[in-house]
Amino acid sequence: GQLQNPSFLFLPQALPRHLKAESREERLPDERERGMAGFWLEPIKFSILVLMPIVTVVAFQHPPTLNWAIDKTRYVVYPEETGRAKLEQLHLIVREAAQARAAEKK
């Protein structure tokens, strides 16, 4: 009997009020059941919104801190700077290659 029909596990007393309620008003929590969670949530979120930019500016206005953050993240790694002589040599190589291709087409 009871093994075939496990409905004895789902007693109405064991269900939370919002699951066994018939109407919307019965599903909503009372004022005293909601507590202070909703009251403190908005001021905390607003404090984070206001303080985050201020803390960021104060922290990164010091050059050592800014350099540490840049080195830590390595978001963009720039190539080594080339001197004027290397650039002229590179232009000469490219120009010679272009002339060689032009000579092959003729």
Side-chain angles (χ1 to χ4, degrees):
Q2 283 188 340
L3 294 177
Q4 300 295 329
N5 186 4
S7 63
F8 70 94
L9 296 174
F10 303 107
L11 300 175
Q13 306 89 297
L15 291 175
R17 187 177 67 175
H18 70 278
L19 291 178
K20 63 182 176 182
E22 298 293 326
S23 67
R24 184 174 189 274
E25 288 75 26
E26 291 176 5
R27 283 193 303 267
L28 294 176
D30 293 335
E31 285 291 324
R32 52 197 154 78
E33 286 183 14
R34 271 189 257 159
M36 296 293 286
F39 177 77
W40 289 107
L41 184 61
E42 288 303 318
I44 289 172
K45 289 188 331 189
F46 182 74
S47 301
I48 292 171
L49 178 75
V50 170
L51 290 177
M52 187 63 81
I54 295 170
V55 169
T56 304
V57 167
V58 168
F60 289 109
Q61 75 180 2
H62 303 293
T65 308
L66 182 61
N67 290 335
W68 172 83
I70 291 170
D71 290 339
K72 182 81 173 163
T73 57
R74 284 287 178 203
Y75 182 69
V76 177
V77 178
Y78 294 101
E80 185 180 314
E81 194 172 320
T82 57
R84 186 77 174 156
K86 284 186 177 180
L87 285 176
E88 289 175 0
Q89 185 181 12
L90 185 60
H91 285 294
L92 181 64
I93 292 171
V94 170
R95 202 174 309 124
E96 287 174 356
Q99 289 173 353
R101 280 193 302 256
E104 285 178 8
K105 287 184 180 180
K106 288 183 180 181

